[in-house]
């Protein structure tokens, strides 16, 4: 009995930590290339979609699932923390959670952790967006070690947040850092101690791969402007190929079939196949270009290689937003020479898993697709909408016939394999959940308020754009003020600053973009006027009134205007976030500079300094106040970008 207890504990622990054929322990699967060997996908699914094994709420983040045995791991973010979580693959219930940091960009465009964890034996490794690397126990979530190598080596090049997943090879963890003499590092998997360092270029967002070449293994790491190849055992740099200059986002995974290597860059930069060859002394590598395909620019979704053809999305213009998908074509290219076999806009920008001659794709519109992997034509077998109201960039995971998907709010496990590959999966019946039953209410589409979007929403507006927007806002202000001045026939005795005037300014700023933008080829942005008007009126109502108490605004009016100001700011923030307008948030900071002037002008008006020519003087004062508000916001916007760069 004394012998059997330790043996039983060992068997139980082995059942938890062993890696089976159906496991998905790494980013892009067991072989790091999106191929699910041994999985058999169904040929189609019902009109209502495949059966849902479970669905649960989850925090923000782009971290994908990894699956080992009956446990699945991913990272999430709540209002209070970031965490690595472990869930039961049959129920979706949380088994443990390891909290490791404060939220990352909680109110930003891209909130939460990015990197997918990695499971190796009885340990799971994770990377946080600020560079923290940790190792915890698979069984309990207990921390074994953690270090922030980005801080230690002053890593550069991952301003949007570290996104690469840890790569475990033999007894080391390979990590891109982007530091001086530490572009790429290897650390001891058991302790976190640095084993070797290599390179001095800034890092990027792609996960390195380790590939065989002759009698050695090579680390292939896409950096910000170069492709670094190093000996996996020693860290000796074998080759560094220039890819670009300036800030660049290399996010897609390289693809390798000895001795050929394919890499791709985003936004029309194309894809290149290289042939690798060792030189005689073994200290360097030979590399020559086999072919270049201009129209295969992978971004956050990587291609897969099935037989002799590449399948992937060629991103031609900006990534998707809530109101539209990414722009580009899904293409099939020959691995031999890069020639195109076919292209289609039907799949969209999709992360791909290849299994049994089929492609399981999860696109940025939240749709799950099943297609035939054939160079003859695009052949779709089934499609269903899983998350219709979200932009979905997180890669799927396939394990034992089940696919694991997530957004910033919800995670689901869906049955897509045959019963032979997933004997423990529930048999669909009348009580099985359907996709329709797990969907939440639809979201508001913010484009109705703006009538369109800029060509590159996340890019900082040019000075020409900002000047045009300023003139448009000023014109609106003058027109509304002029109309009210004429209609009310101001003589210095009336209440010129009525709620009607301010509501007219707020409404004009909020709706004019939506009216004009569908009619023009460019993009006008008039919401700054709405934000300023709500701020200006709130400031005026909270200025100390003259001694005559009868002229003081009632408390409900001041409080009501404050509520309107907060509501306008909230709607503006929501629109910017959903449309990917990263820098226009600076207009919410404009009141910091403008409020003192607004209050001074309001106080001057109440003390009779603007009475002689009330209409003209007050219109002028508002033009001055808006000008300070607008350009203070612009200075903040441009200054913030300069500091970040």
């Amino acid at each position: 009995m004394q012998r059997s207890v330790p043996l039983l504990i060992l068997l139980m622990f082995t059942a938890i930590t062993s890696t089976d054929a159906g496991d998905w322990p790494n980013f892009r699967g067991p072989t790091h290339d999106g191929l699910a060997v041994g999985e058999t996908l169904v040929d189609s699914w019902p009109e209502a979609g495949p059966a849902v094994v479970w669905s649960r709420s989850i925090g923000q983040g782009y971290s994908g699932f990894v699956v080992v045995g009956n446990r699945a791991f991913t990272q999430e973010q709540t209002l209070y923390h970031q965490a690595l979580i472990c869930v039961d693959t049959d129920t979706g219930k949380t088994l443990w959670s390891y909290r490791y940091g404060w939220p990352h960009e909680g109110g930003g465009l891209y909130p939460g952790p990015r990197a997918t964890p990695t499971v190796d034996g009885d340990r799971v490794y994770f990377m946080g967006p600020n560079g923290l690397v940790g190792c915890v126990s698979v069984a309990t979530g207990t921390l074994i070690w953690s270090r922030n190598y980005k801080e230690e080596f002053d890593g550069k090049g991952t301003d949007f947040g570290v996104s690469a997943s840890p790569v475990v090879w033999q007894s080391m963890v390979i990590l891109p850092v982007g530091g001086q003499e530490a572009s790429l590092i290897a650390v001891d998997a058991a302790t976190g101690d640095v084993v070797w360092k290599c390179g001095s270029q800034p890092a990027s967002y792609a996960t390195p791969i380790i590939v065989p070449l002759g009698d050695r293994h090579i680390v292939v790491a896409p950096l910000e402007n170069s492709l670094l190849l190093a000996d996996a055992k020693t860290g000796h740099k074998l080759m560094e190929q220039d890819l670009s200059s300036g800030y660049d986002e290399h996010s897609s995974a390289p693809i390798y079939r000895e001795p050929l290597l394919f890499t791709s860059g985003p936004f029309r930069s194309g894809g290149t196949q290289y042939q690798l060859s060792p030189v005689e002394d073994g200290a360097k590598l030979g590399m020559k270009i086999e072919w270049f395909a201009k129209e295969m620019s992978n971004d956050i979704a990587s291609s897969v290689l099935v037989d002799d053809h590449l399948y992937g999305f060629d991103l031609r213009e900006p990534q998707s937003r809530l109101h539209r998908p990414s722009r580009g074509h899904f293409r099939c290219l020959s691995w031999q020479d890069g020639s195109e076999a076919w292209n289609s806009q039907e799949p969209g920008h999709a992360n791909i898993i290849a299994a049994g001659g089929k492609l399981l794709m999860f696109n940025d519109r939240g749709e799950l697709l099943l297609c035939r992997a054939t160079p003859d034509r695009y052949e779709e077998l089934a499609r269903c909408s899983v998350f219709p109201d979200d932009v979905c960039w997180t890669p799927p995971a396939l394990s034992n016939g089940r696919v694991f998907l997530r957004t910033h709010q919800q995670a689901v496990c869906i049955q897509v394999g045959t019963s032979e590959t997933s004997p423990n999966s529930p048999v669909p019946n009348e009580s099985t959940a359907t996709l329709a039953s797990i969907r939440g209410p639809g979201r508001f589409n913010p484009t109705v308020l703006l009538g369109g979007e800029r060509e590159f929403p996340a890019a900082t507006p040019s000075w020409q754009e900002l000047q045009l927007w300023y003139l448009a806002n000023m014109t609106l202000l003058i027109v509304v003020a002029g109309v009210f001045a004429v209609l009310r026939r101001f003589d210095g005795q009336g209440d010129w600053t009525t709620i009607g005037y301010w509501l007219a300014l707020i409404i004009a700023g909020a709706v004019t973009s939506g009216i004009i933008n569908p009619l023009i080829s460019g993009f006008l942005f008039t919401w700054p006027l709405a934000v300023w008007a709500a701020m200006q009126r709130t400031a005026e109502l909270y200025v100390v009134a003259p001694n005559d108490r009868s002229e003081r605004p009632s408390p409900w009016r001041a409080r009501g205007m404050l509520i309107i100001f907060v509501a306008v700011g909230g709607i503006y923030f929501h629109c910017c976030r959903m449309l990917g307008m990263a820098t226009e948030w600076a207009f919410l900071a404009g009141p910091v500079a403008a409020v003192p002037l607004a209050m001074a002008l309001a106080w001057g008006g109440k003390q009779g300094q603007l009475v002689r020519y009330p209409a003209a003087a007050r219109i002028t004062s508002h033009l001055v106040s808006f000008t300070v508000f607008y350009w203070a916001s612009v200075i903040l916007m441009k200054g913030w970008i300069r500091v970040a760069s």
Side-chain angles (χ1 to χ4, degrees):
M1 186 65 179
Q2 290 177 342
R3 295 178 184 176
S4 61
V5 172
L7 179 60
L8 180 60
I9 295 175
L10 177 63
L11 290 174
M12 292 174 63
F13 185 72
T14 301
I16 293 175
T17 61
S18 62
T19 302
D20 298 324
D23 288 339
W24 192 270
N26 312 301
F27 171 70
R28 302 253 296 162
T31 50
H32 302 271
D33 54 10
L35 304 183
V37 179
E39 293 284 350
T40 303
L41 300 173
V42 296
D43 293 325
S44 64
W45 47 65
E47 183 177 349
V52 176
V53 180
W54 51 259
S55 171
R56 57 162 289 168
S57 61
I58 197 169
Q60 296 173 323
Y62 298 94
S63 175
F65 278 99
V66 289
V67 184
V68 173
N70 64 346
R71 298 187 173 213
F73 308 84
T74 189
Q75 298 185 80
E76 68 169 358
Q77 172 173 293
T78 70
L79 290 174
Y80 314 106
H81 65 259
Q82 294 179 73
L84 171 70
I85 64 171
C86 173
V87 304
D88 187 286
T89 57
D90 292 325
T91 65
K93 293 182 178 179
T94 300
L95 300 177
W96 54 255
S97 174
Y98 173 72
R99 301 178 182 181
Y100 61 82
W102 295 103
H104 180 78
E105 294 187 3
L109 292 177
Y110 312 108
R114 288 94 161 90
T116 298
T118 297
V119 178
D120 183 65
D122 61 349
R123 299 186 177 191
V124 54
Y125 301 86
F126 69 90
M127 289 186 73
N130 69 342
L132 178 72
V133 179
C135 171
V136 305
S137 164
V138 165
T140 63
T142 303
L143 180 66
I144 298 172
W145 60 261
S146 69
R147 285 174 64 173
N148 194 316
Y149 302 101
K150 183 177 181 180
E151 291 183 355
E152 288 184 28
F153 296 107
D154 192 25
K156 308 293 184 183
T158 50
D159 297 335
F160 283 122
V162 175
S163 304
S165 297
V167 178
V168 180
W169 183 74
Q170 293 188 356
S171 60
M172 295 183 293
V173 183
I174 314 294
L175 306 163
V177 174
Q180 188 67 27
E181 299 184 359
S183 293
L184 190 69
I185 68 171
V187 304
D188 188 286
T191 65
D193 295 335
V194 177
V195 178
W196 56 253
K197 303 179 292 180
C198 178
S200 294
Q201 297 299 316
S204 195
Y205 305 97
T207 298
I209 61 172
I210 300 178
V211 302
L213 183 64
D215 60 353
R216 73 196 322 175
H217 281 80
I218 309 298
V219 183
V220 180
L223 304 177
E224 185 175 74
N225 301 124
S226 63
L227 183 67
L228 177 63
L229 286 79
D231 186 285
K233 183 174 293 185
T234 65
H236 175 71
K237 184 167 75 173
L238 301 171
M239 165 69 70
E240 190 159 12
Q241 174 74 28
D242 290 340
L243 296 178
S244 58
S245 61
Y247 178 73
D248 207 352
E249 303 172 26
H250 291 99
S251 303
S252 62
I255 296 176
Y256 184 77
R257 179 179 289 173
E258 190 175 4
L260 301 176
L261 174 69
F262 173 80
T263 65
S264 180
F267 300 116
R268 307 182 187 179
S269 55
T272 306
Q273 186 191 83
Y274 303 93
Q275 184 180 87
L276 305 183
S277 58
V279 296
E280 291 182 1
D281 62 2
K284 299 292 181 182
L285 283 181
M287 176 184 284
K288 69 174 184 176
I289 296 177
E290 289 292 306
W291 51 259
F292 171 75
K294 181 180 179 181
E295 296 186 332
M296 184 55 98
S297 300
N298 293 162
D299 189 49
I300 52 177
S302 305
S303 296
V304 296
L305 175 61
V306 181
D307 297 328
D308 293 320
H309 284 84
L310 276 171
Y311 299 85
F313 187 79
D314 175 35
L315 184 68
R316 309 306 296 170
E317 293 185 37
Q319 298 162 331
S320 61
R321 301 297 172 200
L322 184 64
H323 61 286
R324 62 153 178 83
S326 298
R327 296 161 182 161
H329 287 76
F330 194 90
R331 303 184 189 276
C332 173
L333 304 186
S334 167
W335 180 252
Q336 184 70 27
D337 58 14
S339 61
E340 182 177 277
W342 54 259
N343 74 78
S344 173
Q345 289 184 305
E346 291 300 316
H349 192 188
N351 282 284
I352 317 164
I353 295 174
K358 300 186 183 76
L359 304 177
L360 185 66
M361 298 190 282
F362 182 48
N363 68 24
D364 55 18
R365 289 169 289 188
E367 296 173 325
L368 188 65
L369 290 77
L370 184 65
C371 306
R372 189 83 63 190
T374 172
D376 297 333
R377 64 189 182 281
Y378 172 66
E379 184 180 349
E380 186 173 303
L381 303 176
R383 178 190 296 243
C384 63
S385 179
V386 184
F387 304 114
D389 300 313
D390 288 285
V391 176
C392 301
W393 291 339
T394 300
L398 179 64
S399 174
N400 294 309
R402 299 171 176 178
V403 64
F404 297 76
L405 310 172
R406 65 165 292 180
T407 67
H408 286 297
Q409 304 178 79
Q410 191 176 17
V412 298
C413 175
I414 299 175
Q415 186 71 35
V416 293
T418 61
S419 57
E420 288 78 12
T421 61
S422 48
N424 297 323
S425 299
V427 178
N429 52 48
E430 293 182 358
S431 62
T432 302
T434 63
L435 291 173
S437 67
I438 67 170
R439 292 180 189 138
R443 289 189 179 182
F444 170 70
N445 186 344
T447 54
V448 300
L449 297 178
L450 297 181
E453 66 176 356
R454 297 173 60 231
E455 183 179 6
F456 296 97
T460 307
S462 66
W463 285 107
Q464 291 78 5
E465 283 182 289
L466 292 168
Q467 290 169 9
L468 180 62
W469 295 354
Y470 171 70
L471 293 175
N473 282 273
M474 287 286 279
T475 301
L476 273 179
L477 199 165
I478 292 171
V479 169
V480 173
V483 169
F484 269 76
V486 171
L487 292 179
R488 295 295 300 274
R489 298 178 181 177
F490 295 115
D491 56 7
Q493 302 301 319
D495 181 13
W496 187 76
T497 54
T498 60
I499 188 63
Y501 165 73
W502 292 107
L503 286 179
L505 284 176
I506 293 171
I507 294 171
V511 304
T512 300
S513 292
I515 295 172
I516 293 179
N517 284 330
L519 306 177
I520 62 176
S521 58
F523 179 79
L524 282 180
F525 191 49
T526 59
W527 264 83
L529 179 63
V531 177
W532 168 82
M535 177 275 299
Q536 176 74 28
R537 181 55 176 163
T538 302
E540 292 186 356
L541 289 175
Y542 276 91
V543 168
V544 178
N547 293 330
D548 185 357
R549 293 180 177 271
S550 63
E551 296 186 20
R552 293 183 180 178
S554 61
W556 68 264
R557 186 186 303 177
R559 293 167 187 167
M561 198 64 221
L562 180 61
I563 293 172
I564 292 175
F565 174 45
V566 172
V568 169
I571 295 171
Y572 177 81
F573 174 84
H574 184 65
C575 288
C576 287
R577 187 170 184 270
M578 296 182 76
L579 292 173
M581 299 169 67
T583 57
E584 286 79 353
W585 289 354
F587 287 109
L588 288 177
V592 175
V595 161
L597 176 62
M599 297 184 72
L601 291 171
W603 182 85
K606 287 180 177 293
Q607 297 303 315
Q609 302 302 311
L610 301 176
V611 172
R612 185 176 180 183
Y613 301 104
R618 293 191 181 187
I619 290 175
T620 301
S621 72
H622 290 167
L623 293 176
V624 171
S625 177
F626 176 77
T627 298
V628 171
F629 161 83
Y630 186 91
W631 291 110
S633 302
V634 169
I635 291 171
L636 175 65
M637 180 192 304
K638 293 289 187 177
W640 177 77
I641 292 298
R642 181 177 295 274
V643 170
S645 299

